[in-house]
Amino acid sequence: MKRERALKAVNIVLPVVGIGLEIFYGICDTACSSLQGTFLGLDLKWIGILFVAVLLVLALLPAGSRWASFARHLRILLLSGALGGETLLVRFQILHDTYCPFCLAFGACILILFIVNFAKAHRYLVLGAFLAGIAAFALFFEGSVIPLYR
């Protein structure tokens, strides 16, 4: 019972932190503002906000509701896919030697959420979703690094 409350708290707090990170990234005017990316033509910032908002809604569902089991399974599948996508986004930053602390912190939120929710997951579905996330970002992610001159 205590673990379930802690898990629910983490599943609520980290998506809120993720939304805050995406908002700060949007107003960032430091080195990270040179990183830009889209997925299917949509700005990654808005996709990130929408993604963690969905995670937040799933976390706010009552534990005893008929949707709780569905929400738990959907959450881990979404997190697995996102972790696959984050893998390619971090790779992009490494290849271009340009790092955004907001992006990396957002990725850390996804990783932590994945780790705390993994215990009750079907491993093959998680692996499939992770690989699907990698494939989706490999196919549909477009990123650029715009040099900033001062």
Side-chain angles (χ1 to χ4, degrees):
M1 186 63 134
K2 191 174 184 181
R3 185 192 184 297
E4 291 298 321
R5 279 194 302 222
L7 180 61
K8 186 164 183 93
V10 169
N11 282 324
I12 291 171
V13 169
L14 285 180
V16 171
V17 169
I19 290 170
L21 287 167
E22 290 296 331
I23 290 170
F24 282 125
Y25 170 74
I27 59 175
C28 174
D29 65 349
T30 61
C32 63
S33 65
S34 65
L35 285 171
Q36 296 181 356
T38 61
F39 183 82
L40 291 172
L42 301 170
D43 189 334
L44 282 180
K45 172 181 48 195
W46 295 110
I47 291 175
I49 290 172
L50 178 63
F51 179 78
V52 292
V54 168
L55 291 178
L56 182 59
V57 168
L58 291 174
L60 293 174
L61 291 174
S65 75
R66 66 182 191 157
W67 296 101
S69 177
F70 173 76
R72 188 177 67 248
H73 293 301
L74 181 58
R75 180 184 307 112
I76 194 63
L77 289 176
L78 289 171
L79 287 167
S80 301
L83 195 58
E86 286 293 335
T87 302
L88 289 187
L89 293 175
V90 170
R91 178 184 174 271
F92 179 82
Q93 291 183 51
I94 292 169
L95 287 176
H96 293 282
D97 197 29
T98 303
Y99 302 94
C100 170
F102 299 113
C103 301
L104 295 173
F106 184 86
C109 287
I110 298 299
L111 178 61
I112 293 167
L113 282 166
F114 175 80
I115 290 168
V116 300
N117 285 283
F118 182 73
K120 295 183 178 180
H122 187 276
R123 299 222 186 347
Y124 293 116
L125 288 176
V126 167
L127 178 61
F130 177 78
L131 294 174
I134 289 174
F137 269 78
L139 293 172
F140 304 115
F141 168 71
E142 292 183 22
S144 63
V145 178
I146 301 168
L148 298 176
Y149 300 104
R150 292 184 185 229

